Amino acid sequence: MFVPAPEGTILHADLDAFYASVEQRDDPRLRGRPVIVGGGVVLAASYEAKAFGIRTAMGGEQARRLCPWAIVVEPRMSAYSDASKAVFEVFEDTTPLVEGLSIDEAFLEVGGLRRVSGTSVEIATRLRREVLERVGLAITVGVARTKFLAKVASAVAKPDGLLVVPPGRELQFLHPLPVERLWGVGSVTARKLHERGIQTVGDVARLDEIVLISMLGRASGRHLHSLAHNRDPRAVQVGRRRGSIGSQHALARSRRSRSPDVVDAALVALVDRVTRRMRSAKRIGRTVVLRLRFDDFTRLTRSHTLTRPTAHTETILATARKLLAVAMPTIAREGLTLVGIAVANLDDDRVVQLALPFDSRSDDALDTALDGVRDRFGSTAVTRAVLLGRRSLGSVPMLPD
DNA sequence: TCTGGGGTCCTAGGACCC
DNA sequence: TCTGGGGTCCTAGGACCC
């Protein structure tokens, strides 16, 4: 018998001040004190530090001015990654339907678990307790019928909170909130809305969709109009994979640190990092993106799409160097402050095993077989094929880079 | 108060194909 | 020779998120 749930079944779970909380967990001397992770720029601030106005992405100097006695610690990425894995294990133990959004937050669908695990609220309460007991971190959970509203709820409930938005009271909860609470409203969109006297979600809800579209463009307009009415049909998606892998590096502010040699060395290191990560994730990609940033914070991107996906360091480095050469006149004109490399259009690096009759190992037979593989797996999916047989030839790179 | 490093999604124009 | 509408892919830039 189907029993409709009297509450929302989507949980948005979000760790509080994640990096800073891990530091406080691991070093008792930091507990109860303002903690800043990252010296140059604030990567994370404990709630004690946030009380002084310190925010993520703020310059380190400014942060120290706001709170001179704050404790600044170097980031320990592997500790955060381990903590994240442990928390996601708790998520997976709660429900198989987990959609990770970042290192410290995820959506959980618990709609089918009523008989086994109880109501959403009971599940959320247990989840918070288990994360605290098993990983030692505080986590905030929002519960609602839609993803978007669950996320808004957790943001409102922070820190160390649980907030349930019951169906029927959704707009009552949503409409008094400032527009900045809407997912997808950043500083630019907020400014555009404020210029027209729109302050709250309720103000947005009173506008025609067509008006919002004319103000913000088609996608943003539609998106905001839907959210303001709590229309969000997106289901929790399991196993989403990222579409690009990249790395970037800020250059020191001296003439020498921007010399061609230094920039090229940075490029080599970035490509090496990115391709290593791609190979360990068993991903290959076709589009190489060069990202540059300058003194005045203007940005520039150049990209090139290869005919075949690869994770080969030399291939991607050669492409990156070409892109840099194309952008070179611009670099000569202005001060470069950041170099980044990303590889997009990612695919799985599948190794396809071909079993051919022993007497048909001619080039023609191989070509025919490879065509068959391409037909089955898609032309971009095949970069390598391993030839096997009774007397194995071992691993043969069929489509060298 | 000058801003790190990792990502996602959308738009718009041009090339190209049918 | 000129014209059409529709679709996909690529490139560059912008906004946004954590």
Side-chain angles (χ1 to χ4, degrees), chain A residues 219 240 242-244 246 248 250 277 293:
Chain A
R240 282 188 66 175
R242 60 171 141 196
S244 71
Q248 54 188 57
R277 280 166 56 201
R293 205 183 64 196

PDB file of all heavy atoms in Angstrom, chain A residues 219 240 242-244 246 248 250 277 293, chain B residues 1-11:
ATOM      1  N   ALA A 219      17.330  31.613 -19.431  1.00  0.00           N
ATOM      2  CA  ALA A 219      17.514  30.538 -18.453  1.00  0.00           C
ATOM      3  C   ALA A 219      17.369  31.056 -17.019  1.00  0.00           C
ATOM      4  O   ALA A 219      16.649  30.475 -16.210  1.00  0.00           O
ATOM      5  CB  ALA A 219      18.867  29.875 -18.647  1.00  0.00           C
ATOM      6  N   ARG A 240      26.574  11.164 -10.494  1.00  0.00           N
ATOM      7  CA  ARG A 240      26.956  12.224 -11.443  1.00  0.00           C
ATOM      8  C   ARG A 240      28.475  12.317 -11.482  1.00  0.00           C
ATOM      9  O   ARG A 240      29.147  12.245 -10.463  1.00  0.00           O
ATOM     10  CB  ARG A 240      26.379  13.567 -10.998  1.00  0.00           C
ATOM     11  CG  ARG A 240      24.927  13.708 -11.314  1.00  0.00           C
ATOM     12  CD  ARG A 240      24.463  15.127 -11.037  1.00  0.00           C
ATOM     13  NE  ARG A 240      25.098  16.085 -11.933  1.00  0.00           N
ATOM     14  CZ  ARG A 240      24.784  17.373 -11.955  1.00  0.00           C
ATOM     15  NH1 ARG A 240      23.889  17.838 -11.137  1.00  0.00           N
ATOM     16  NH2 ARG A 240      25.382  18.184 -12.787  1.00  0.00           N
ATOM     17  N   ARG A 242      31.980  14.405 -12.938  1.00  0.00           N
ATOM     18  CA  ARG A 242      32.316  15.761 -13.350  1.00  0.00           C
ATOM     19  C   ARG A 242      32.681  15.816 -14.832  1.00  0.00           C
ATOM     20  O   ARG A 242      33.109  14.841 -15.424  1.00  0.00           O
ATOM     21  CB  ARG A 242      33.442  16.306 -12.500  1.00  0.00           C
ATOM     22  CG  ARG A 242      34.702  15.488 -12.602  1.00  0.00           C
ATOM     23  CD  ARG A 242      35.799  16.235 -11.908  1.00  0.00           C
ATOM     24  NE  ARG A 242      36.652  15.339 -11.166  1.00  0.00           N
ATOM     25  CZ  ARG A 242      37.483  15.778 -10.228  1.00  0.00           C
ATOM     26  NH1 ARG A 242      37.494  17.050  -9.917  1.00  0.00           N
ATOM     27  NH2 ARG A 242      38.268  14.952  -9.620  1.00  0.00           N
ATOM     28  N   GLY A 243      32.515  16.997 -15.392  1.00  0.00           N
ATOM     29  CA  GLY A 243      32.714  17.166 -16.826  1.00  0.00           C
ATOM     30  C   GLY A 243      34.054  17.753 -17.185  1.00  0.00           C
ATOM     31  O   GLY A 243      34.415  17.811 -18.374  1.00  0.00           O
ATOM     32  N   SER A 244      34.822  18.197 -16.192  1.00  0.00           N
ATOM     33  CA  SER A 244      36.142  18.745 -16.485  1.00  0.00           C
ATOM     34  C   SER A 244      37.056  18.581 -15.286  1.00  0.00           C
ATOM     35  O   SER A 244      36.593  18.451 -14.153  1.00  0.00           O
ATOM     36  CB  SER A 244      36.043  20.224 -16.869  1.00  0.00           C
ATOM     37  OG  SER A 244      35.712  21.012 -15.750  1.00  0.00           O
ATOM     38  N   GLY A 246      40.645  20.375 -13.812  1.00  0.00           N
ATOM     39  CA  GLY A 246      41.556  21.485 -14.057  1.00  0.00           C
ATOM     40  C   GLY A 246      42.407  21.813 -12.852  1.00  0.00           C
ATOM     41  O   GLY A 246      42.205  21.285 -11.757  1.00  0.00           O
ATOM     42  N   GLN A 248      44.856  25.381 -11.391  1.00  0.00           N
ATOM     43  CA  GLN A 248      45.324  26.732 -11.680  1.00  0.00           C
ATOM     44  C   GLN A 248      46.310  27.177 -10.623  1.00  0.00           C
ATOM     45  O   GLN A 248      46.412  26.604  -9.552  1.00  0.00           O
ATOM     46  CB  GLN A 248      44.158  27.699 -11.767  1.00  0.00           C
ATOM     47  CG  GLN A 248      43.256  27.704 -10.554  1.00  0.00           C
ATOM     48  CD  GLN A 248      42.029  28.552 -10.812  1.00  0.00           C
ATOM     49  OE1 GLN A 248      41.283  28.318 -11.745  1.00  0.00           O
ATOM     50  NE2 GLN A 248      41.849  29.564  -9.986  1.00  0.00           N
ATOM     51  N   ALA A 250      48.225  30.830  -9.011  1.00  0.00           N
ATOM     52  CA  ALA A 250      48.411  32.283  -8.993  1.00  0.00           C
ATOM     53  C   ALA A 250      49.901  32.601  -8.996  1.00  0.00           C
ATOM     54  O   ALA A 250      50.669  31.996  -8.260  1.00  0.00           O
ATOM     55  CB  ALA A 250      47.742  32.868  -7.756  1.00  0.00           C
ATOM     56  N   ARG A 277      45.814  13.429 -12.480  1.00  0.00           N
ATOM     57  CA  ARG A 277      44.495  13.248 -11.885  1.00  0.00           C
ATOM     58  C   ARG A 277      43.548  12.547 -12.854  1.00  0.00           C
ATOM     59  O   ARG A 277      42.738  11.718 -12.457  1.00  0.00           O
ATOM     60  CB  ARG A 277      43.932  14.598 -11.457  1.00  0.00           C
ATOM     61  CG  ARG A 277      44.515  15.075 -10.129  1.00  0.00           C
ATOM     62  CD  ARG A 277      44.224  16.535  -9.868  1.00  0.00           C
ATOM     63  NE  ARG A 277      42.815  16.853  -9.908  1.00  0.00           N
ATOM     64  CZ  ARG A 277      42.316  18.058 -10.104  1.00  0.00           C
ATOM     65  NH1 ARG A 277      43.145  19.077 -10.270  1.00  0.00           N
ATOM     66  NH2 ARG A 277      41.030  18.258 -10.137  1.00  0.00           N
ATOM     67  N   ARG A 293      44.604  35.189 -16.031  1.00  0.00           N
ATOM     68  CA  ARG A 293      44.027  36.324 -15.313  1.00  0.00           C
ATOM     69  C   ARG A 293      45.101  37.381 -15.163  1.00  0.00           C
ATOM     70  O   ARG A 293      46.286  37.066 -15.052  1.00  0.00           O
ATOM     71  CB  ARG A 293      43.524  35.869 -13.955  1.00  0.00           C
ATOM     72  CG  ARG A 293      42.423  36.747 -13.385  1.00  0.00           C
ATOM     73  CD  ARG A 293      42.051  36.265 -12.005  1.00  0.00           C
ATOM     74  NE  ARG A 293      43.184  36.409 -11.108  1.00  0.00           N
ATOM     75  CZ  ARG A 293      43.259  35.805  -9.928  1.00  0.00           C
ATOM     76  NH1 ARG A 293      42.313  35.012  -9.524  1.00  0.00           N
ATOM     77  NH2 ARG A 293      44.326  35.988  -9.169  1.00  0.00           N
TER      78      ARG A 293
ATOM     79  P    DT B   1      39.110  49.101   3.308  1.00  0.00           P
ATOM     80  OP1  DT B   1      37.817  48.589   2.920  1.00  0.00           O
ATOM     81  OP2  DT B   1      39.277  50.058   4.284  1.00  0.00           O
ATOM     82  O5'  DT B   1      40.277  47.997   3.404  1.00  0.00           O
ATOM     83  C5'  DT B   1      39.966  46.712   3.879  1.00  0.00           C
ATOM     84  C4'  DT B   1      40.163  45.699   2.770  1.00  0.00           C
ATOM     85  O4'  DT B   1      38.932  45.463   2.100  1.00  0.00           O
ATOM     86  C3'  DT B   1      41.150  46.125   1.663  1.00  0.00           C
ATOM     87  O3'  DT B   1      42.296  45.317   1.792  1.00  0.00           O
ATOM     88  C2'  DT B   1      40.446  45.869   0.361  1.00  0.00           C
ATOM     89  C1'  DT B   1      39.238  45.028   0.771  1.00  0.00           C
ATOM     90  N1   DT B   1      38.071  45.264  -0.108  1.00  0.00           N
ATOM     91  C2   DT B   1      37.965  44.525  -1.268  1.00  0.00           C
ATOM     92  O2   DT B   1      38.789  43.675  -1.594  1.00  0.00           O
ATOM     93  N3   DT B   1      36.855  44.799  -2.031  1.00  0.00           N
ATOM     94  C4   DT B   1      35.880  45.717  -1.772  1.00  0.00           C
ATOM     95  O4   DT B   1      34.946  45.870  -2.524  1.00  0.00           O
ATOM     96  C5   DT B   1      36.052  46.466  -0.558  1.00  0.00           C
ATOM     97  C7   DT B   1      35.074  47.503  -0.192  1.00  0.00           C
ATOM     98  C6   DT B   1      37.117  46.206   0.209  1.00  0.00           C
ATOM     99  P    DC B   2      43.659  46.059   1.030  1.00  0.00           P
ATOM    100  OP1  DC B   2      44.728  45.212   1.520  1.00  0.00           O
ATOM    101  OP2  DC B   2      43.723  47.525   1.230  1.00  0.00           O
ATOM    102  O5'  DC B   2      43.367  45.838  -0.526  1.00  0.00           O
ATOM    103  C5'  DC B   2      44.133  45.008  -1.368  1.00  0.00           C
ATOM    104  C4'  DC B   2      43.284  43.869  -1.841  1.00  0.00           C
ATOM    105  O4'  DC B   2      42.076  44.341  -2.468  1.00  0.00           O
ATOM    106  C3'  DC B   2      43.962  42.988  -2.874  1.00  0.00           C
ATOM    107  O3'  DC B   2      43.932  41.666  -2.344  1.00  0.00           O
ATOM    108  C2'  DC B   2      43.047  43.038  -4.092  1.00  0.00           C
ATOM    109  C1'  DC B   2      41.729  43.465  -3.500  1.00  0.00           C
ATOM    110  N1   DC B   2      40.773  44.099  -4.455  1.00  0.00           N
ATOM    111  C2   DC B   2      41.133  45.235  -5.167  1.00  0.00           C
ATOM    112  O2   DC B   2      42.245  45.728  -5.009  1.00  0.00           O
ATOM    113  N3   DC B   2      40.228  45.760  -6.028  1.00  0.00           N
ATOM    114  C4   DC B   2      39.028  45.219  -6.194  1.00  0.00           C
ATOM    115  N4   DC B   2      38.204  45.783  -7.051  1.00  0.00           N
ATOM    116  C5   DC B   2      38.660  44.055  -5.469  1.00  0.00           C
ATOM    117  C6   DC B   2      39.557  43.541  -4.611  1.00  0.00           C
ATOM    118  P    DT B   3      45.082  40.767  -3.026  1.00  0.00           P
ATOM    119  OP1  DT B   3      45.914  40.231  -1.946  1.00  0.00           O
ATOM    120  OP2  DT B   3      45.722  41.462  -4.152  1.00  0.00           O
ATOM    121  O5'  DT B   3      44.157  39.606  -3.652  1.00  0.00           O
ATOM    122  C5'  DT B   3      43.776  38.522  -2.827  1.00  0.00           C
ATOM    123  C4'  DT B   3      42.429  38.010  -3.267  1.00  0.00           C
ATOM    124  O4'  DT B   3      41.518  39.085  -3.501  1.00  0.00           O
ATOM    125  C3'  DT B   3      42.418  37.285  -4.598  1.00  0.00           C
ATOM    126  O3'  DT B   3      42.876  35.966  -4.427  1.00  0.00           O
ATOM    127  C2'  DT B   3      40.946  37.303  -4.937  1.00  0.00           C
ATOM    128  C1'  DT B   3      40.444  38.597  -4.310  1.00  0.00           C
ATOM    129  N1   DT B   3      40.082  39.609  -5.334  1.00  0.00           N
ATOM    130  C2   DT B   3      38.775  39.733  -5.694  1.00  0.00           C
ATOM    131  O2   DT B   3      37.892  39.046  -5.213  1.00  0.00           O
ATOM    132  N3   DT B   3      38.521  40.689  -6.659  1.00  0.00           N
ATOM    133  C4   DT B   3      39.431  41.510  -7.268  1.00  0.00           C
ATOM    134  O4   DT B   3      39.087  42.318  -8.104  1.00  0.00           O
ATOM    135  C5   DT B   3      40.809  41.324  -6.839  1.00  0.00           C
ATOM    136  C7   DT B   3      41.883  42.147  -7.441  1.00  0.00           C
ATOM    137  C6   DT B   3      41.058  40.403  -5.906  1.00  0.00           C
ATOM    138  P    DG B   4      43.944  35.417  -5.488  1.00  0.00           P
ATOM    139  OP1  DG B   4      45.257  36.022  -5.206  1.00  0.00           O
ATOM    140  OP2  DG B   4      43.405  35.484  -6.852  1.00  0.00           O
ATOM    141  O5'  DG B   4      43.995  33.899  -5.066  1.00  0.00           O
ATOM    142  C5'  DG B   4      44.704  33.518  -3.882  1.00  0.00           C
ATOM    143  C4'  DG B   4      44.675  32.027  -3.783  1.00  0.00           C
ATOM    144  O4'  DG B   4      43.421  31.625  -3.188  1.00  0.00           O
ATOM    145  C3'  DG B   4      44.734  31.315  -5.126  1.00  0.00           C
ATOM    146  O3'  DG B   4      45.520  30.142  -4.964  1.00  0.00           O
ATOM    147  C2'  DG B   4      43.282  31.012  -5.464  1.00  0.00           C
ATOM    148  C1'  DG B   4      42.647  30.880  -4.088  1.00  0.00           C
ATOM    149  N9   DG B   4      41.287  31.411  -4.016  1.00  0.00           N
ATOM    150  C8   DG B   4      40.868  32.652  -4.417  1.00  0.00           C
ATOM    151  N7   DG B   4      39.594  32.846  -4.215  1.00  0.00           N
ATOM    152  C5   DG B   4      39.149  31.660  -3.653  1.00  0.00           C
ATOM    153  C6   DG B   4      37.861  31.275  -3.221  1.00  0.00           C
ATOM    154  O6   DG B   4      36.825  31.947  -3.252  1.00  0.00           O
ATOM    155  N1   DG B   4      37.848  29.978  -2.718  1.00  0.00           N
ATOM    156  C2   DG B   4      38.935  29.167  -2.633  1.00  0.00           C
ATOM    157  N2   DG B   4      38.733  27.951  -2.127  1.00  0.00           N
ATOM    158  N3   DG B   4      40.147  29.513  -3.027  1.00  0.00           N
ATOM    159  C4   DG B   4      40.180  30.760  -3.526  1.00  0.00           C
ATOM    160  P    DG B   5      45.970  29.333  -6.251  1.00  0.00           P
ATOM    161  OP1  DG B   5      47.253  28.688  -5.901  1.00  0.00           O
ATOM    162  OP2  DG B   5      45.830  30.182  -7.452  1.00  0.00           O
ATOM    163  O5'  DG B   5      44.864  28.205  -6.335  1.00  0.00           O
ATOM    164  C5'  DG B   5      44.735  27.288  -5.266  1.00  0.00           C
ATOM    165  C4'  DG B   5      43.568  26.397  -5.549  1.00  0.00           C
ATOM    166  O4'  DG B   5      42.344  27.129  -5.292  1.00  0.00           O
ATOM    167  C3'  DG B   5      43.477  25.923  -7.007  1.00  0.00           C
ATOM    168  O3'  DG B   5      43.249  24.533  -6.986  1.00  0.00           O
ATOM    169  C2'  DG B   5      42.287  26.683  -7.574  1.00  0.00           C
ATOM    170  C1'  DG B   5      41.436  26.832  -6.323  1.00  0.00           C
ATOM    171  N9   DG B   5      40.437  27.884  -6.389  1.00  0.00           N
ATOM    172  C8   DG B   5      40.552  29.134  -6.941  1.00  0.00           C
ATOM    173  N7   DG B   5      39.455  29.835  -6.858  1.00  0.00           N
ATOM    174  C5   DG B   5      38.563  28.996  -6.206  1.00  0.00           C
ATOM    175  C6   DG B   5      37.208  29.198  -5.833  1.00  0.00           C
ATOM    176  O6   DG B   5      36.509  30.192  -6.021  1.00  0.00           O
ATOM    177  N1   DG B   5      36.670  28.081  -5.197  1.00  0.00           N
ATOM    178  C2   DG B   5      37.363  26.920  -4.949  1.00  0.00           C
ATOM    179  N2   DG B   5      36.692  25.950  -4.333  1.00  0.00           N
ATOM    180  N3   DG B   5      38.624  26.718  -5.293  1.00  0.00           N
ATOM    181  C4   DG B   5      39.154  27.793  -5.917  1.00  0.00           C
ATOM    182  P    DG B   6      43.334  23.692  -8.300  1.00  0.00           P
ATOM    183  OP1  DG B   6      44.214  22.561  -7.992  1.00  0.00           O
ATOM    184  OP2  DG B   6      43.603  24.564  -9.458  1.00  0.00           O
ATOM    185  O5'  DG B   6      41.842  23.170  -8.470  1.00  0.00           O
ATOM    186  C5'  DG B   6      41.347  22.216  -7.538  1.00  0.00           C
ATOM    187  C4'  DG B   6      39.858  22.228  -7.581  1.00  0.00           C
ATOM    188  O4'  DG B   6      39.380  23.549  -7.259  1.00  0.00           O
ATOM    189  C3'  DG B   6      39.231  21.965  -8.947  1.00  0.00           C
ATOM    190  O3'  DG B   6      39.091  20.570  -9.154  1.00  0.00           O
ATOM    191  C2'  DG B   6      37.866  22.607  -8.807  1.00  0.00           C
ATOM    192  C1'  DG B   6      38.042  23.609  -7.682  1.00  0.00           C
ATOM    193  N9   DG B   6      37.725  24.963  -8.098  1.00  0.00           N
ATOM    194  C8   DG B   6      38.524  25.895  -8.705  1.00  0.00           C
ATOM    195  N7   DG B   6      37.918  27.023  -8.951  1.00  0.00           N
ATOM    196  C5   DG B   6      36.633  26.815  -8.477  1.00  0.00           C
ATOM    197  C6   DG B   6      35.493  27.672  -8.455  1.00  0.00           C
ATOM    198  O6   DG B   6      35.419  28.828  -8.886  1.00  0.00           O
ATOM    199  N1   DG B   6      34.394  27.050  -7.886  1.00  0.00           N
ATOM    200  C2   DG B   6      34.371  25.771  -7.383  1.00  0.00           C
ATOM    201  N2   DG B   6      33.215  25.343  -6.878  1.00  0.00           N
ATOM    202  N3   DG B   6      35.419  24.971  -7.377  1.00  0.00           N
ATOM    203  C4   DG B   6      36.509  25.549  -7.946  1.00  0.00           C
ATOM    204  P    DG B   7      38.603  20.089 -10.629  1.00  0.00           P
ATOM    205  OP1  DG B   7      38.940  18.678 -10.705  1.00  0.00           O
ATOM    206  OP2  DG B   7      39.059  21.047 -11.677  1.00  0.00           O
ATOM    207  O5'  DG B   7      37.033  20.216 -10.502  1.00  0.00           O
ATOM    208  C5'  DG B   7      36.281  20.743 -11.588  1.00  0.00           C
ATOM    209  C4'  DG B   7      34.992  21.243 -11.022  1.00  0.00           C
ATOM    210  O4'  DG B   7      35.215  22.509 -10.378  1.00  0.00           O
ATOM    211  C3'  DG B   7      33.925  21.529 -12.060  1.00  0.00           C
ATOM    212  O3'  DG B   7      33.225  20.323 -12.324  1.00  0.00           O
ATOM    213  C2'  DG B   7      33.034  22.517 -11.324  1.00  0.00           C
ATOM    214  C1'  DG B   7      34.019  23.272 -10.433  1.00  0.00           C
ATOM    215  N9   DG B   7      34.349  24.595 -10.925  1.00  0.00           N
ATOM    216  C8   DG B   7      35.554  25.045 -11.422  1.00  0.00           C
ATOM    217  N7   DG B   7      35.529  26.302 -11.775  1.00  0.00           N
ATOM    218  C5   DG B   7      34.230  26.706 -11.510  1.00  0.00           C
ATOM    219  C6   DG B   7      33.605  27.971 -11.685  1.00  0.00           C
ATOM    220  O6   DG B   7      34.090  29.011 -12.129  1.00  0.00           O
ATOM    221  N1   DG B   7      32.269  27.937 -11.287  1.00  0.00           N
ATOM    222  C2   DG B   7      31.624  26.835 -10.770  1.00  0.00           C
ATOM    223  N2   DG B   7      30.345  26.989 -10.438  1.00  0.00           N
ATOM    224  N3   DG B   7      32.206  25.654 -10.599  1.00  0.00           N
ATOM    225  C4   DG B   7      33.498  25.662 -10.984  1.00  0.00           C
ATOM    226  P    DT B   8      32.359  20.186 -13.674  1.00  0.00           P
ATOM    227  OP1  DT B   8      31.910  18.802 -13.775  1.00  0.00           O
ATOM    228  OP2  DT B   8      33.109  20.827 -14.761  1.00  0.00           O
ATOM    229  O5'  DT B   8      31.095  21.119 -13.377  1.00  0.00           O
ATOM    230  C5'  DT B   8      30.177  20.793 -12.326  1.00  0.00           C
ATOM    231  C4'  DT B   8      29.016  21.764 -12.413  1.00  0.00           C
ATOM    232  O4'  DT B   8      29.528  23.103 -12.214  1.00  0.00           O
ATOM    233  C3'  DT B   8      28.382  21.757 -13.794  1.00  0.00           C
ATOM    234  O3'  DT B   8      27.022  21.357 -13.724  1.00  0.00           O
ATOM    235  C2'  DT B   8      28.476  23.163 -14.312  1.00  0.00           C
ATOM    236  C1'  DT B   8      28.926  23.984 -13.145  1.00  0.00           C
ATOM    237  N1   DT B   8      29.933  24.956 -13.609  1.00  0.00           N
ATOM    238  C2   DT B   8      29.576  26.269 -13.702  1.00  0.00           C
ATOM    239  O2   DT B   8      28.464  26.669 -13.407  1.00  0.00           O
ATOM    240  N3   DT B   8      30.557  27.110 -14.155  1.00  0.00           N
ATOM    241  C4   DT B   8      31.838  26.766 -14.530  1.00  0.00           C
ATOM    242  O4   DT B   8      32.630  27.609 -14.925  1.00  0.00           O
ATOM    243  C5   DT B   8      32.150  25.363 -14.412  1.00  0.00           C
ATOM    244  C7   DT B   8      33.514  24.867 -14.789  1.00  0.00           C
ATOM    245  C6   DT B   8      31.199  24.537 -13.963  1.00  0.00           C
ATOM    246  P    DC B   9      26.296  21.026 -15.149  1.00  0.00           P
ATOM    247  OP1  DC B   9      25.234  20.061 -14.839  1.00  0.00           O
ATOM    248  OP2  DC B   9      27.303  20.743 -16.189  1.00  0.00           O
ATOM    249  O5'  DC B   9      25.633  22.423 -15.542  1.00  0.00           O
ATOM    250  C5'  DC B   9      24.795  23.105 -14.629  1.00  0.00           C
ATOM    251  C4'  DC B   9      24.500  24.482 -15.191  1.00  0.00           C
ATOM    252  O4'  DC B   9      25.721  25.257 -15.210  1.00  0.00           O
ATOM    253  C3'  DC B   9      23.987  24.456 -16.636  1.00  0.00           C
ATOM    254  O3'  DC B   9      22.767  25.170 -16.699  1.00  0.00           O
ATOM    255  C2'  DC B   9      25.073  25.143 -17.442  1.00  0.00           C
ATOM    256  C1'  DC B   9      25.760  26.012 -16.402  1.00  0.00           C
ATOM    257  N1   DC B   9      27.173  26.297 -16.743  1.00  0.00           N
ATOM    258  C2   DC B   9      27.593  27.618 -16.839  1.00  0.00           C
ATOM    259  O2   DC B   9      26.785  28.522 -16.636  1.00  0.00           O
ATOM    260  N3   DC B   9      28.886  27.874 -17.169  1.00  0.00           N
ATOM    261  C4   DC B   9      29.736  26.864 -17.385  1.00  0.00           C
ATOM    262  N4   DC B   9      30.991  27.171 -17.702  1.00  0.00           N
ATOM    263  C5   DC B   9      29.328  25.506 -17.280  1.00  0.00           C
ATOM    264  C6   DC B   9      28.046  25.263 -16.958  1.00  0.00           C
ATOM    265  P    DC B  10      21.909  25.160 -18.076  1.00  0.00           P
ATOM    266  OP1  DC B  10      20.498  25.108 -17.675  1.00  0.00           O
ATOM    267  OP2  DC B  10      22.471  24.176 -19.024  1.00  0.00           O
ATOM    268  O5'  DC B  10      22.221  26.612 -18.662  1.00  0.00           O
ATOM    269  C5'  DC B  10      21.918  27.751 -17.875  1.00  0.00           C
ATOM    270  C4'  DC B  10      22.356  28.981 -18.636  1.00  0.00           C
ATOM    271  O4'  DC B  10      23.804  29.027 -18.657  1.00  0.00           O
ATOM    272  C3'  DC B  10      21.895  29.001 -20.092  1.00  0.00           C
ATOM    273  O3'  DC B  10      21.144  30.188 -20.313  1.00  0.00           O
ATOM    274  C2'  DC B  10      23.174  28.963 -20.907  1.00  0.00           C
ATOM    275  C1'  DC B  10      24.236  29.444 -19.930  1.00  0.00           C
ATOM    276  N1   DC B  10      25.575  28.870 -20.172  1.00  0.00           N
ATOM    277  C2   DC B  10      26.655  29.724 -20.450  1.00  0.00           C
ATOM    278  O2   DC B  10      26.449  30.935 -20.496  1.00  0.00           O
ATOM    279  N3   DC B  10      27.878  29.179 -20.674  1.00  0.00           N
ATOM    280  C4   DC B  10      28.048  27.859 -20.619  1.00  0.00           C
ATOM    281  N4   DC B  10      29.276  27.385 -20.841  1.00  0.00           N
ATOM    282  C5   DC B  10      26.971  26.978 -20.336  1.00  0.00           C
ATOM    283  C6   DC B  10      25.748  27.513 -20.115  1.00  0.00           C
ATOM    284  P    DT B  11      20.480  30.456 -21.742  1.00  0.00           P
ATOM    285  OP1  DT B  11      19.270  31.232 -21.492  1.00  0.00           O
ATOM    286  OP2  DT B  11      20.436  29.188 -22.504  1.00  0.00           O
ATOM    287  O5'  DT B  11      21.539  31.407 -22.467  1.00  0.00           O
ATOM    288  C5'  DT B  11      22.026  32.551 -21.769  1.00  0.00           C
ATOM    289  C4'  DT B  11      22.944  33.326 -22.696  1.00  0.00           C
ATOM    290  O4'  DT B  11      24.243  32.692 -22.715  1.00  0.00           O
ATOM    291  C3'  DT B  11      22.455  33.368 -24.151  1.00  0.00           C
ATOM    292  O3'  DT B  11      22.579  34.693 -24.622  1.00  0.00           O
ATOM    293  C2'  DT B  11      23.398  32.417 -24.872  1.00  0.00           C
ATOM    294  C1'  DT B  11      24.664  32.517 -24.052  1.00  0.00           C
ATOM    295  N1   DT B  11      25.537  31.322 -24.074  1.00  0.00           N
ATOM    296  C2   DT B  11      26.894  31.495 -24.246  1.00  0.00           C
ATOM    297  O2   DT B  11      27.397  32.594 -24.395  1.00  0.00           O
ATOM    298  N3   DT B  11      27.629  30.348 -24.245  1.00  0.00           N
ATOM    299  C4   DT B  11      27.156  29.049 -24.082  1.00  0.00           C
ATOM    300  O4   DT B  11      27.921  28.101 -24.095  1.00  0.00           O
ATOM    301  C5   DT B  11      25.729  28.940 -23.908  1.00  0.00           C
ATOM    302  C7   DT B  11      25.125  27.583 -23.728  1.00  0.00           C
ATOM    303  C6   DT B  11      24.992  30.060 -23.909  1.00  0.00           C
TER     304       DT B  11
END
